[in-house]
Amino acid sequence: MRASKPALLRRVGLNASSRLQYLTRPKPLFRPNTISTRSISTSATAPAAIVAENPTKQTPPPPTAFTYGAYQKVGGPNAKSVYRIRIPKFESLEAERAFRKLHHAAALRWLGYQGYNNEGAGGHVTVRDPIMPDHFWINPHGKSFSHMRPEDLVLVSKDGEVKEGGNMHSINPAGYIIHAAVHEARPDVVAAVHCHSVPSKAFSAIGCKLEPINQDACRFYNDHGIYSGFGGIAFKADEGKHIAQALGNTKGVILQNHGHLTVAKTVDGAAFLFGAMDRCIQAQLLADAACAGRGTKTVKVGHEEASYTRNTYNDEMVYIMFQSAFEDVIKASHGELPMHVQGEIPRE
């Protein structure tokens, strides 16, 4: 016998107040740059779930300009100047394109080295083109991440057409559907990373957000969403829109029964956040399991401290955090990939 809608809502854990809110809510439209609190299910059996408390809350879209700020100087006012890693400047848009493609290829190699390419053709990384911002670069379908070169990347229009100027190779259609919707909804997003990992696949079945149980998890404190309306493999445009809607204006989204996705203004930052989020997910699974065995609860970082820690990670900081991995990839390529591109200007 099929359960009534109130009974189904009780099954997904909504209290009486939230059930009433759900049953009497107006039907929302999908709007880019709006943090939606309701993720839409395309499944015939799984009801949509409310994942936040305020169904009408909106925040302004994130700025498209970089937020800069390397590590603070130490040593006092008389300390000698030292070299600090910064997001570079460029002589031309062509130089910036070459830079983005080099770091795109390196990020894919790093993901491959970490085992994120072990799901066959599953997994995709996109980078917005600086010359044609409505186009993006994506990894070719079915090719190893671990050997990616800039010339292997595929240039795709917003309509999904593979364009000359890049590798004329097929792309993962689900990758296009998801990433096209994210780039369309978020003009500030330069890069998006999505792969399937064991920790995120396990955690995404629980239906909860990351908790601020350690310093690293504070990066995502009140800054990630949950898409709880899994609609099957993303071959339909609506699924991409629903994922973008659940991402909202945050830096990442947990895709229920699927995995997770992260975004940033550099592919370095998006790759770093993807790995960081995955490790935080794994840490929370371990901590929760340990607490269940001991009959205790995890200790959470306070709101003020968690917010302060999260705000430290601006666009330049997450770029910096990936540069040791970028260096590892470049040196492991034995000269196949350069450390810099022509026209790259160090920022002081």
Side-chain angles (χ1 to χ4, degrees):
M1 181 183 225
R2 185 173 181 180
S4 66
K5 183 171 287 187
L8 286 173
L9 295 175
R10 284 194 294 272
R11 288 183 189 174
V12 297
L14 299 181
N15 58 31
S17 175
S18 295
R19 291 197 297 272
L20 179 62
Q21 181 183 23
Y22 173 83
L23 292 170
T24 59
R25 78 202 187 288
K27 300 294 185 182
L29 296 175
F30 171 75
R31 288 185 175 91
N33 297 325
T34 298
I35 292 184
S36 172
T37 58
R38 174 179 173 268
S39 53
I40 304 169
S41 175
T42 55
S43 167
T45 57
I50 296 172
V51 296
E53 295 180 356
N54 187 348
T56 60
K57 181 179 179 181
Q58 295 184 2
T59 59
T64 55
F66 285 109
T67 55
Y68 293 101
Y71 286 107
Q72 297 177 2
K73 293 181 179 180
V74 296
N78 298 321
K80 299 291 185 182
S81 296
V82 296
Y83 175 77
R84 295 188 297 165
I85 297 172
R86 304 292 305 271
I87 295 175
K89 298 183 289 186
F90 305 98
E91 292 180 352
S92 65
L93 289 176
E94 288 76 13
E96 186 172 5
R97 173 189 275 173
F99 176 88
R100 289 189 185 185
K101 291 178 68 179
L102 170 62
H103 284 247
H104 189 176
L108 284 161
R109 288 197 182 200
W110 178 79
L111 290 165
Y113 298 160
Q114 301 302 309
Y116 292 120
N117 192 214
N118 60 5
E119 297 285 354
H124 13 85
V125 177
T126 55
V127 175
R128 192 187 298 273
D129 185 74
I131 299 174
M132 299 181 291
D134 60 346
H135 288 55
F136 57 80
W137 298 87
I138 189 171
N139 49 293
H141 194 209
K143 300 292 289 183
S144 171
F145 286 8
S146 301
H147 304 285
M148 202 64 59
R149 303 167 301 168
E151 56 264 37
D152 295 324
L153 300 170
V154 181
L155 181 62
V156 185
S157 72
K158 65 178 182 179
D159 299 317
E161 181 182 352
V162 174
K163 308 294 288 187
E164 292 183 349
N167 182 12
M168 298 300 290
H169 192 286
S170 63
I171 61 173
N172 186 325
Y176 162 73
I177 291 293
I178 294 171
H179 290 253
V182 168
H183 285 289
E184 176 71 19
R186 291 281 299 275
D188 63 300
V189 165
V190 169
V193 176
H194 168 60
C195 300
H196 301 163
S197 77
V198 173
S200 67
K201 286 188 288 188
F203 191 72
S204 69
I206 299 173
C208 68
K209 289 186 176 183
L210 277 172
E211 298 174 335
I213 61 171
N214 54 61
Q215 175 177 296
D216 293 341
C218 291
R219 295 187 187 107
F220 304 98
Y221 178 66
N222 286 342
D223 203 10
H224 67 289
I226 297 179
Y227 172 46
S228 60
F230 177 68
I233 191 168
F235 284 165
K236 296 181 179 180
D238 282 351
E239 186 71 359
K241 291 180 179 179
H242 298 159
I243 290 172
Q245 185 181 24
L247 172 68
N249 290 336
T250 68
K251 62 169 61 87
V253 60
I254 296 167
L255 310 177
Q256 191 164 289
N257 306 114
H258 189 171
H260 70 293
L261 176 145
T262 55
V263 298
K265 290 190 180 75
T266 60
V267 67
D268 308 73
F272 166 72
L273 289 172
F274 182 87
M277 194 173 199
D278 198 41
R279 291 186 293 273
C280 289
I281 285 169
Q282 187 174 15
Q284 184 165 324
L285 290 171
L286 291 170
D288 286 347
C291 285
R294 295 171 61 88
T296 60
K297 294 184 178 180
T298 55
V299 177
K300 313 298 191 297
V301 176
H303 168 73
E304 183 177 350
E305 294 81 3
S307 299
Y308 168 77
T309 303
R310 178 199 62 218
N311 294 339
T312 300
Y313 288 91
N314 55 42
D315 298 322
E316 187 163 61
M317 188 61 72
V318 293
Y319 169 85
I320 292 169
M321 297 297 286
F322 188 72
Q323 294 317 294
S324 58
F326 176 76
E327 182 181 357
D328 287 341
V329 169
I330 298 304
K331 291 185 176 179
S333 76
H334 301 293
E336 186 178 19
L337 299 180
M339 184 67 75
H340 302 283
V341 300
Q342 186 174 359
E344 178 183 334
I345 305 171
R347 187 180 298 272
E348 297 180 358

